[in-house]
Structure formats: structure tokens, C-alpha cells
Amino acid sequence: MSQLIAIVGRPNVGKSTLFNRLIGERKSIIDNVSGVTRDRIYGYTEWNGRKVNVVDTGGFVINSNDVFESAIRAQVQIAIDEADVVIFMTDVTTGITDLDESVARMLRKSNKPTVLAVNKVDNGTRQLAANEFWSLGFEDTFFLSSITGSGSGELLDAIIDILPEEEVDLSQSELPKFAILGRPNVGKSSMINALLDEDRNIVTDVAGTTRDAIHSHYKKYGHEFILIDTAGIRKKKKVHEDLEFYSVIRAVKSIDEADVCLLMIDATLGMESQDMNIFSLIAKRKKGVVLLVNKWDLIEKETNTARDYERELKNKLAPFDDVPIIFVSATEKQRIFKAVENLMEVYKNRTQKIKTSELNEALQEMMTKYPPPAYRGKLIKIKYVTQLPTHYPAFAFFCNHPKHVTGSYKNYLENQLRDRYDFKGVPLTLFFRDK
């Protein structure tokens, strides 16, 4: 699922509405006021058995002095450069505008596969009016209504046909894959060089030196796996774009490829919003995670410095705070092999399979200790639990009222599973189904 769809267009044409429909949840804020989407929103959609990442960009505006709009222009350009397919959104109610023409010229210049989506086509009159958009010159043009969903299926069919089949490297497919993620200049390449004991990656003080995702084969001290260092910057001499946005787009692709992610943060800066964004992407994609606090040698320490720092981090990570946290210095090679041991441990946790008989014995003890709360006077009885055959730990609980199992009781069951079996660093997924 390392392929990416970017939704671009001028403000207030319905990009966020389409994004929410594609990913199946209300994640982007929707309003009739233009310019609501200023942050980039990430998600994924599944269609005809293919999972694809989707990014919702802000509205494209040219010749504007607004600081947000100039940043949006840069981010739209990055999204176009990185995407495998671009959805160019327009609005039938306003017709073709100068901004639409500007976006169309940018897309034609990029030679990126583009699908033109004419939005708000929800009656016969607008169906006729939408025909003028063929003049923009895009072969794949679709009329749709993102708010009702009409036409979105045909749009996705076309996108899946355009996307190339993903290649699988069978020679190393059996080896665990660990991705090193983090903000630019946090020390990702230094960490890989320290682990490999060689200058495999270029290291400078300039944020974003790594240009492309680099795969390194690690085979030392009884461990063997593939290390993936994510990119920080595009191959251009002068870069004015938003580096944080670029690093997240590349991180999304590396997360999809990895089994366990090593999220690095700068000890001198702490856990910032961009780190939380990457952490949430890892958790939503059900990947294992180990948190590395790099540059720990630069911190002035007292007796409980590490303990207090870890407690603060776990408060920010809640509710998924069952994560290994290691304080390292990549340049000084402090505790870097402890990071490797934790990566292997989390990989083992993520791939473990628990016998159904053992799970059901544990379930009876859990319910005896704390029975499920009743629903409208009716007792909720969980009869059976089994682990699903997925690439990540997922469990199906069969009961008489699956829709009425409370969130607190779901959390209780997850915590009990974590207490009994070692799932440290691994997101758990619990499904409740009718018996």
C-alpha cells in the first residue's frame, strides 16, 4: 500500500468531502468557507482489493500574499510530485475559473497521471453544464457528487486501472523490515550508520539530506533484517517547499512497507505535533513501533530525568502508550543495540499466534473478574474469542449484543490481553460480532 493518491484543486470545490468519502470517515473538516483545509490530512482507501494512501491538500491559490496560501501552494506541488495519481477537483456550479486553468497547466507540466473530477453534478442540468470541463483536455474526466457519492465508484475504478501493480522483492520478502522515521535532522541516517558501522548514508547538519528511501541489509550478532531510512528532501538544488510535509509523505510509504517502525525524536525538542502525526499513522496502519529519544547525551540529567521524560511521553501517546522507549545517542553509539533488541522483540510480539483454547480460558477468567456491563437490563455474554489470520494481532469476540459492548469494557479486554501476552509496541484490534 505504498502508492499515493493526491486530491488537488482550488478552494471550496469539495476536496475534503471526497476525501472523507474515499476513506470512509469524517476526518477532514468541511465548511462552505474557502480555505478550511490548511493542514494536510492522510488516510487510505480500499477498492477492488487494492489499498491506496490518500492525501487531502489545501486549496490552490496563486499570486496570494497570505502566508497560509503560499504554504498550501508549496504543499500542493509536493503532493503532485510524490503522488502516483492526482485527482484534480473542480466545481460545476462555478464553471471553469482562472484558478482551474492554473492548476490544469501545472498538472500537464508535471506529466503526472491525472483524473479530472467535476464535482456537485447531482441533477440533469448540471450534467449538461459539466460537459464544458472536457475543454481542460484531460482524457479521464468524471462527473460526480462527493456529498452523495454518485460517480465516486467509477472514479476509483479508473484510478485503480491507472495505478501500476506493486512489485514485490521476493529475495528479501521473508526478512523483517524496520523503517526509521522522524522529522528532518533528527538523526535517522546517523542511527543507521552507527548500526551498520559504516557511512552508508550521507550525514550533515542540513535538514533533509537523505533524498530517497534507502534499504540496508543488517546481519550482525544473530539478527538479520532490512533497515529502511526514509527520505527528507526532493532532488532539487533549491528547495522552498514544506520539508515536514514532504517527510510525512515519504514516511507514509515507508510505514506501509515496514513491519515495525522506529520513531526517532529529538531529546532537546521533545515530542512535537509532527511526531504525533507520524505515530498516529503507524498505529492506524497496525505496525509495531519502538520510540527512540535521540541526542540524549545533550540533555542535562538529574536522578529521575529519564523516568520523568518517559512519563511525559506516555501521557502524550495515550491511549496507546504500551510502547518501548529507549534513550540513545546515535553519534556516541549509546544503547543503539538495545534498540535492535527491542525491534526484534516487537516484531516477535506482532507475529505471535495464540491458541484459541488458551484464549477462551483467559476470556472466562477476564469475565469472572469483571463481567460486561448490562445493556437495558439484558446481560451481555461473550461466548467465544479467536485470533484472526491477519498480519497484525486482531481478535474476534462473539457475543449476543456486539454493538452494545461499551468502550471501557473493550479497553479492559485489550489491557487484559496485554497483561497476559506480551504485545508491547503493537496495536491490537478487537472485533465484536454476533454469536
Side-chain angles (χ1 to χ4, degrees):
M1 197 180 64
S2 60
Q3 293 170 320
L4 181 74
I5 299 170
I7 306 174
V8 303
R10 60 182 174 81
N12 209 31
V13 294
K15 297 185 298 297
S16 296
T17 307
L18 178 63
F19 175 84
N20 289 341
R21 180 160 293 281
L22 291 182
I23 68 170
E25 58 180 287
R26 286 180 61 87
K27 192 172 180 182
S28 275
I29 301 170
I30 301 170
D31 200 291
N32 290 326
V33 179
S34 67
V36 171
T37 303
R38 285 177 168 172
D39 293 325
R40 289 78 54 204
I41 313 294
Y42 313 90
Y44 66 90
T45 185
E46 184 171 0
W47 190 257
N48 291 340
R50 294 279 294 277
K51 286 186 177 181
V52 188
N53 291 299
V54 187
V55 58
D56 176 20
T57 61
F60 181 84
V61 180
I62 60 171
N63 301 324
S64 171
N65 294 323
D66 185 284
V67 64
F68 288 109
E69 290 173 351
S70 61
I72 286 168
R73 285 199 303 274
Q75 292 158 9
V76 168
Q77 183 61 62
I78 295 172
I80 291 172
D81 291 343
E82 288 300 305
D84 296 284
V85 176
V86 176
I87 299 176
F88 173 23
M89 288 283 291
T90 56
D91 182 351
V92 69
T93 62
T94 57
I96 299 174
T97 67
D98 292 342
L99 276 176
D100 292 326
E101 294 278 9
S102 298
V103 178
R105 283 194 295 271
M106 177 190 292
L107 290 168
R108 283 193 289 267
K109 186 178 178 181
S110 72
N111 291 321
K112 188 69 65 173
T114 300
V115 176
L116 175 61
V118 185
N119 193 25
K120 306 180 186 178
V121 183
D122 49 14
N123 59 45
T125 303
R126 291 181 176 181
Q127 185 84 23
L128 289 172
N131 284 302
E132 73 163 306
F133 285 85
W134 288 102
S135 65
L136 289 172
F138 292 96
E139 181 180 350
D140 296 303
T141 297
F142 296 88
F143 305 156
L144 57 90
S145 172
S146 56
I147 199 165
T148 65
S150 65
S152 58
E154 291 83 353
L155 177 73
L156 282 169
D157 284 338
I159 290 170
I160 296 301
D161 287 341
I162 293 170
L163 286 171
E165 290 291 334
E166 294 184 273
E167 297 179 1
V168 179
D169 185 359
L170 297 176
S171 62
Q172 296 179 336
S173 60
E174 298 301 318
L175 291 178
K177 292 184 176 64
F178 302 146
I180 297 189
L181 309 168
R183 285 177 283 112
N185 209 30
V186 76
K188 301 185 293 294
S189 296
S190 296
M191 183 66 182
I192 285 189
N193 289 343
L195 288 172
L196 299 176
D197 201 22
E198 59 182 81
D199 290 337
R200 171 67 187 271
N201 296 346
I202 300 170
V203 179
T204 72
D205 291 331
V206 179
T209 302
T210 304
R211 291 176 171 178
D212 295 299
I214 298 172
H215 292 60
S216 305
H217 187 187
Y218 181 97
K219 190 176 182 181
K220 292 182 179 182
Y221 310 111
H223 300 306
E224 185 176 9
F225 49 83
I226 302 298
L227 271 174
I228 306 169
D229 182 15
T230 51
I233 205 169
R234 286 196 300 124
K235 292 182 179 177
K236 284 197 174 182
K237 293 180 180 178
K238 295 182 179 180
V239 179
H240 303 287
E241 292 89 349
D242 185 338
L243 286 178
E244 299 289 357
F245 176 47
Y246 182 79
S247 65
V248 170
I249 284 185
R250 283 298 176 90
V252 165
K253 296 183 177 182
S254 298
I255 291 168
D256 292 335
E257 190 176 354
D259 299 300
V260 181
C261 298
L262 194 65
L263 177 56
M264 294 188 72
I265 68 169
D266 189 327
T268 61
L269 300 175
M271 192 87 171
E272 297 189 333
S273 60
Q274 193 71 8
D275 301 311
M276 290 300 302
N277 195 359
I278 296 174
F279 182 83
S280 65
L281 290 172
I282 295 169
K284 285 179 180 178
R285 282 159 172 75
K286 311 300 180 186
K287 306 293 184 176
V289 59
V290 174
L291 188 61
L292 280 194
V293 184
N294 193 27
K295 305 181 184 180
W296 190 242
D297 55 312
L298 303 180
I299 299 295
E300 293 186 9
K301 302 172 190 67
E302 298 179 359
T303 305
N304 297 319
T305 302
R307 185 200 66 184
D308 295 342
Y309 202 107
E310 181 173 343
R311 182 183 298 164
E312 183 179 346
L313 285 176
K314 290 198 171 185
N315 286 337
K316 289 185 177 181
L317 298 177
F320 178 37
D321 57 4
D322 187 18
V323 175
I325 299 175
I326 306 162
F327 299 92
V328 302
S329 171
T331 55
E332 301 295 326
K333 298 186 178 181
Q334 294 176 357
R335 289 179 288 280
I336 60 172
F337 295 110
K338 185 178 180 183
V340 172
E341 292 171 1
N342 276 266
L343 278 170
M344 297 304 298
E345 190 67 30
V346 171
Y347 176 77
K348 178 184 173 184
N349 296 345
R350 186 172 181 265
T351 54
Q352 69 173 311
K353 303 297 179 184
I354 304 169
K355 292 181 179 179
T356 300
S357 58
E358 187 179 341
L359 274 174
N360 282 279
E361 288 178 11
L363 175 63
Q364 295 305 316
E365 293 179 19
M366 294 177 201
M367 290 195 298
T368 301
K369 182 179 177 182
Y370 177 34
Y375 170 69
R376 293 185 177 179
K378 296 179 180 179
L379 294 177
I380 293 177
K381 297 179 181 179
I382 302 176
K383 298 290 186 180
Y384 183 77
V385 60
T386 186
Q387 185 172 359
L388 299 175
T390 54
H391 295 297
Y392 55 88
F395 301 89
F397 292 80
F398 295 88
C399 58
N400 55 349
H401 297 290
K403 293 181 180 180
H404 304 299
V405 179
T406 62
S408 60
Y409 198 74
K410 291 177 183 179
N411 292 336
Y412 165 74
L413 292 174
E414 178 177 337
N415 292 334
Q416 287 293 305
L417 286 172
R418 290 188 179 278
D419 288 343
R420 288 173 177 270
Y421 311 102
D422 191 357
F423 285 115
K424 194 174 187 66
V426 182
L428 298 185
T429 304
L430 276 58
F431 297 98
F432 291 84
R433 298 174 177 170
D434 198 299
K435 63 179 180 179

